């Protein structure tokens, strides 16, 4: 079962390990490093499952879970991760609606097994729920489950690195991403990439989604900062 998983983990090394493990399982993954970003991504992407660290900055994992359960998709599966093993924390996490709970340190293989079990139990993933998982903005549709991109209804061929960059930007239209942030999206797909190589990915994407790549109307440069995907959601 291929699914789109949102990973909310403030430890970048742990987040990368989880992301690579998910990719090896055939899933797609979006990674964020604080609770506010987790809530924004969950609302925009409607992932099939959330891997949620409890000790997140800005908004902690308990509050993220509480907000998810009271949001537009209250049945979204949540697997909690934490270094806190006290029984009260476990009970609180489960009481808020977490579907499973793992204490650090943990085996990535065990985490993947837990994710498979939760996805199977919840019926999430391709064919497992109603609704369209695609993210749409500015005439662009990015489907993280089918790994498809369409621009004004026309299929667009993207490299894996280009797809991950476009997915991240489509999930948060008008947000300005630095080159470093976009570079993180390509990890595991483009190991030799540098921050300057992000400019090449952006240039290639513009050729594919802009009417006039020299005068982009969607994928804009914010001088001195980075790039953003501009345009209304449908």
């Amino acid at each position: 079962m291929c699914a789109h998983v949102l990973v909310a983990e403030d430890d970048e090394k742990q987040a990368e390990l989880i992301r690579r493990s998910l990719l090896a399982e055939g899933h797609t993954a979006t990674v964020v490093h604080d609770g506010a970003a987790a809530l924004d991504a969950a609302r925009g992407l409607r992932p099939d499952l959330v891997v949620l660290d409890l000790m997140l900055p800005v908004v902690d994992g308990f509050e993220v879970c509480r907000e998810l359960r009271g949001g537009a998709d209250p049945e979204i599966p949540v697997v909690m991760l934490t270094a806190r093993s006290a029984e009260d924390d476990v009970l609180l996490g489960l009481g808020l609606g977490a579907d499973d709970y793992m204490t650090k340190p943990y085996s990535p293989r065990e985490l993947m097994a837990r994710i498979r079990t939760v996805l199977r139990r919840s019926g999430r993933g391709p064919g497992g729920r109603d609704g369209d998982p695609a993210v749409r903005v500015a005439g662009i549709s990015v489907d993280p489950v089918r790994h498809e991109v369409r621009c004004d209804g026309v299929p667009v061929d993207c490299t894996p690195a280009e797809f991950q960059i476009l997915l991240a930007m489509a999930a948060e239209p008008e947000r300005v991403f630095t080159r470093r942030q976009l570079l993180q999206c390509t990890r595991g797909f483009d190991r030799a990439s540098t921050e300057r190589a992000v400019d090449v990915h952006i240039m290639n994407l513009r050729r594919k989604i802009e009417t006039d790549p020299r005068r982009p109307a969607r994928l804009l440069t914010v001088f001195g900062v980075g790039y953003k995907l501009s345009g209304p959601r449908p």
Side-chain angles (χ1 to χ4, degrees):
M1 176 184 290
C2 175
H4 182 215
V5 179
L6 173 62
V7 180
E9 166 63 77
D10 65 328
D11 185 315
E12 293 190 9
K13 290 184 178 180
Q14 287 289 322
E16 178 64 8
L17 179 61
I18 296 170
R19 191 184 73 84
R20 288 175 181 261
S21 297
L22 287 166
L23 294 178
E25 291 275 315
H27 303 304
T28 58
T30 297
V31 176
V32 297
H33 300 298
D34 68 69
L39 288 171
D40 287 343
R43 295 177 185 122
L45 291 173
R46 296 184 64 223
D48 296 300
L49 182 141
V50 179
V51 176
L52 180 64
D53 181 38
L54 289 184
M55 303 301 289
L56 291 173
V58 186
V59 179
D60 68 30
F62 290 118
E63 184 58 30
V64 171
C65 190
R66 186 179 290 110
E67 291 287 331
L68 291 176
R69 286 294 174 257
D73 193 6
E75 301 302 319
I76 183 170
V78 175
V79 176
M80 282 187 168
L81 304 176
T82 185
R84 300 164 62 171
S85 59
E87 184 179 9
D88 287 348
D89 290 334
V90 175
L91 294 176
L92 178 56
L94 295 175
L96 288 172
D99 296 85
D100 207 343
Y101 193 109
M102 291 194 68
T103 302
K104 300 177 182 179
Y106 54 83
S107 160
R109 290 180 63 185
E110 182 182 358
L111 175 59
M112 293 305 108
R114 299 281 190 96
I115 287 173
R116 286 195 298 271
T117 299
V118 172
L119 285 171
R120 190 180 305 113
R121 189 167 63 225
S122 65
R124 310 287 282 209
R129 62 171 179 171
D130 294 331
D132 186 349
V135 181
R136 293 183 174 82
V137 60
I140 299 166
S141 170
V142 186
D143 189 326
V145 174
R146 297 179 179 86
H147 212 272
E148 294 176 350
V149 175
R150 289 179 176 269
C151 182
D152 297 327
V154 179
V156 176
D157 290 328
C158 291
T159 68
E162 291 167 0
F163 182 89
Q164 292 299 325
I165 287 173
L166 194 58
L167 177 61
M169 299 182 81
E172 298 184 71
E174 304 298 339
R175 173 186 169 182
V176 180
F177 289 82
T178 66
R179 289 179 177 86
R180 181 178 178 81
Q181 289 169 331
L182 293 176
L183 179 63
Q184 291 297 319
C185 298
T186 72
R187 295 299 190 194
F189 298 107
D190 194 356
R191 294 183 181 181
S193 185
T194 65
E195 290 187 27
R196 298 305 301 177
V198 169
D199 296 337
V200 177
H201 292 312
I202 294 295
M203 180 177 65
N204 289 335
L205 280 169
R206 281 175 173 162
R207 291 193 182 112
K208 297 172 181 181
I209 68 172
E210 297 285 1
T211 302
D212 183 353
R214 295 171 297 178
R215 297 181 179 179
R218 290 163 166 148
L219 193 44
L220 307 181
T221 299
V222 180
F223 292 101
V225 185
Y227 300 98
K228 70 175 181 178
L229 189 62
S230 184
R233 290 183 182 275

